[in-house]
Amino acid sequence: MPAATFPAHAKLLDDFAARRPAALARAISIVENRRDGASRLLASLHAMLGRGRRIGITGPPGAGKSTLTARLAEHYRRAGLTVGIIAVDPTSPFTGGALLGDRIRMESVALDDGIFIRSMATRGALGGLAAATRDVCDVLDAFGFDRLLVETVGVGQSELDVAHAADTSVLVIVPESGDSIQTLKAGLMEAADLFVVNKADRPGADRMRHEMKLMLGLRMGQLSRNVPAHHGVDLARVGRRARAERETSHETSAPSWTPPVLATSAERGEGIDELATALDAHFDYLEKSGTLLTRRRGRLRDRVVEGVDRELHDRIWNDRALSAHLEALLPDVEDGRMTPLAASEELIAQVATLLSNSRSTNTESEVA
Ligand SMILES: Nc1nc2c(ncn2[C@@H]2O[C@H](COP(=O)(O)OP(=O)(O)OP(=O)(O)O)[C@@H](O)[C@H]2O)c(=O)[nH]1
Ligand SMILES: [Mg+2]
């Protein structure tokens, strides 16, 4: 089914195609706030996706993620690349930190339309933030940004979701992170492709880096057998990682990736070139190993499933007869004459009829 353009968006899409910054900002607002036509707007942009490299930058509060992101953005701008930045639920506002606050504005990059920055607040709904972030990322990608940097604070499930939406995930820690490293959500460690010990100008950075490598080796070492050494940026053998759930296994001749542990001092701008080189090397690995395709396909699969779940849920629970049936069954469930499961089954039997009758009645509504 071709995506019908929301009439009000015809001009917006023209302006967007002409790369007008105002159109970008408007498209993002529509998508982020799930305004009318948001799904169709995204659908119109779908064919333009896939150019931008998505880089997730996550880590504990105050680790210097924004500063690092700003430095990386500067690096990319110097290389002639455009950069879209999304800061998810920052504890300190993006503009308040070193980013774009002073330094970048000083260098008049703020007026540079090769950089776009958006801060996003946490959505109420579970999983909503990750979805909104991904959609805004799509808009930036469609607009043509070469690099998409997504900063998330914290080390919990929503960060994990955001990490999974990136091509490359960077976990930023600081020399003081010591104990908190032990409590990092296990999945976050496995989801990270690169580790950065920032604030390397502070004491303990080398030790932290060493411990990090050691821990990676422990966690991933046993998975490393028969995997050839990576020729890239990593200087140490820190063990191999498996992403069984995200990637297919490759023959031993396929390129492999050892997550490097880098050191940066974002404030001083040290280690940024090395980080950018490591990011390039990782993307190179993703392409050559076929992992980019499997990762992106996995993300698309998730979205299709999500769409089915949402659509089914809406169709079912928007049906008055079904809701009435549910209410009618409740007294029996209350009195113990019927189990909740039996009631569910009775409703499901009705859902089957409902779905076969309601086919194609929804083409005019918001279907992603
Ligand atoms: N010493 C030192 N301080 C740094 C470095 N990088 C950042 N900082 C400082 O650390 C503080 C936090 O930096 P941010 O970049 O805002 O950190 P963040 O991780 O984005 O913070 P949240 O988004 O609030 O979680 C600021 O005062 C920075 O100036 C560094 O390399 N060395
Ligand atoms: Mg920040």
Side-chain angles (χ1 to χ4, degrees):
M1 175 184 73
T5 305
F6 200 54
H9 293 165
K11 171 144 190 349
L12 174 63
L13 285 169
D14 284 348
D15 288 349
F16 193 90
R19 300 198 83 255
R20 301 216 163 89
L24 173 62
R26 192 155 160 250
I28 288 179
S29 293
I30 291 170
V31 164
E32 189 187 348
N33 301 311
R34 299 253 180 270
R35 298 224 184 93
D36 281 354
S39 293
R40 261 173 289 176
L41 178 60
L42 283 168
S44 320
L45 304 180
H46 181 73
M48 302 178 222
L49 299 183
R51 272 197 56 244
R53 298 184 185 177
R54 300 183 185 211
I55 300 167
I57 296 171
T58 189
K65 301 176 295 297
S66 296
T67 316
L68 199 65
T69 301
R71 289 293 194 180
L72 209 48
E74 289 170 346
H75 176 97
Y76 287 138
R77 290 303 291 137
R78 278 196 297 274
L81 299 168
T82 57
V83 187
I85 300 173
I86 302 175
V88 182
D89 200 25
T91 50
S92 53
F94 220 74
T95 44
L99 183 63
L100 317 176
D102 311 323
R103 208 157 30 75
I104 287 198
R105 196 170 296 138
M106 238 161 57
E107 296 169 21
S108 48
V109 185
L111 297 172
D112 173 1
D113 65 9
I115 287 195
F116 185 91
I117 299 152
R118 185 72 162 205
S119 283
M120 300 195 23
T122 307
R123 304 284 115 174
L126 197 68
L129 180 65
T133 305
R134 180 195 60 203
D135 292 346
V136 171
C137 239
D138 280 357
V139 175
L140 292 172
D141 189 359
F143 198 74
F145 286 103
D146 299 304
R147 297 290 183 275
L148 307 171
L149 306 179
V150 181
E151 177 196 336
T152 36
V153 64
V155 287
Q157 183 59 43
S158 64
E159 290 71 40
L160 201 53
D161 292 343
V162 172
H164 279 299
D167 297 319
T168 299
S169 294
V170 180
L171 182 60
V172 182
I173 48 173
V174 289
E176 298 82 4
S177 292
D179 292 347
S180 60
I181 289 299
Q182 314 290 338
T183 61
L184 276 185
K185 203 170 172 63
L188 198 63
M189 195 100 164
E190 270 80 38
D193 302 295
L194 266 93
F195 295 82
V196 171
V197 179
N198 187 41
K199 307 199 183 179
D201 48 285
R202 288 189 181 168
D206 281 344
R207 192 173 47 79
M208 185 69 231
R209 208 174 158 199
H210 185 69
E211 278 174 20
M212 197 70 214
K213 288 180 185 180
L214 221 61
M215 181 165 340
L216 280 170
L218 284 177
R219 283 212 191 184
M220 297 149 190
Q222 61 269 49
L223 302 163
S224 70
R225 275 164 291 153
N226 304 324
V227 181
H230 179 63
H231 50 77
V233 290
D234 188 24
L235 303 174
R237 295 175 60 84
V238 294
R240 314 292 176 194
R241 57 202 294 259
R243 293 173 178 258
E245 83 286 12
R246 293 172 65 185
E247 293 163 17
T248 55
S249 61
H250 302 289
E251 305 95 75
T252 47
S253 61
S256 69
W257 178 254
T258 301
V261 183
L262 305 168
T264 59
S265 174
E267 208 159 61
R268 299 180 182 177
E270 289 166 9
I272 306 301
D273 290 354
E274 290 79 357
L275 173 58
T277 303
L279 287 166
D280 282 346
H282 185 252
F283 200 81
D284 198 45
Y285 152 76
L286 288 176
E287 285 188 320
K288 292 199 170 122
S289 63
T291 308
L292 186 66
L293 284 177
T294 49
R295 241 178 230 195
R296 287 184 171 180
R297 177 172 292 179
R299 275 165 15 207
L300 290 173
R301 182 181 296 112
D302 290 348
R303 296 184 73 156
V304 175
V305 170
E306 239 177 72
V308 171
D309 287 352
R310 191 179 51 233
E311 180 64 15
L312 279 181
H313 184 278
D314 290 354
R315 279 203 213 173
I316 292 168
W317 298 115
N318 288 341
D319 184 72
R320 288 219 190 106
L322 194 87
S323 296
H325 193 173
L326 166 62
E327 294 303 323
L329 294 176
L330 283 180
D332 280 355
V333 179
E334 264 168 17
D335 292 350
R337 285 191 297 271
M338 188 181 223
T339 66
L341 187 63
S344 307
E345 279 165 1
E346 200 170 316
L347 291 178
I348 287 167
Q350 192 180 342
V351 164
T353 327
L354 167 71
L355 290 180
S356 51
N357 291 342
S358 71
R359 264 194 319 131
S360 6
T361 56
N362 269 337
T363 46
E364 288 308 305
S365 71
E366 280 283 287
V367 182

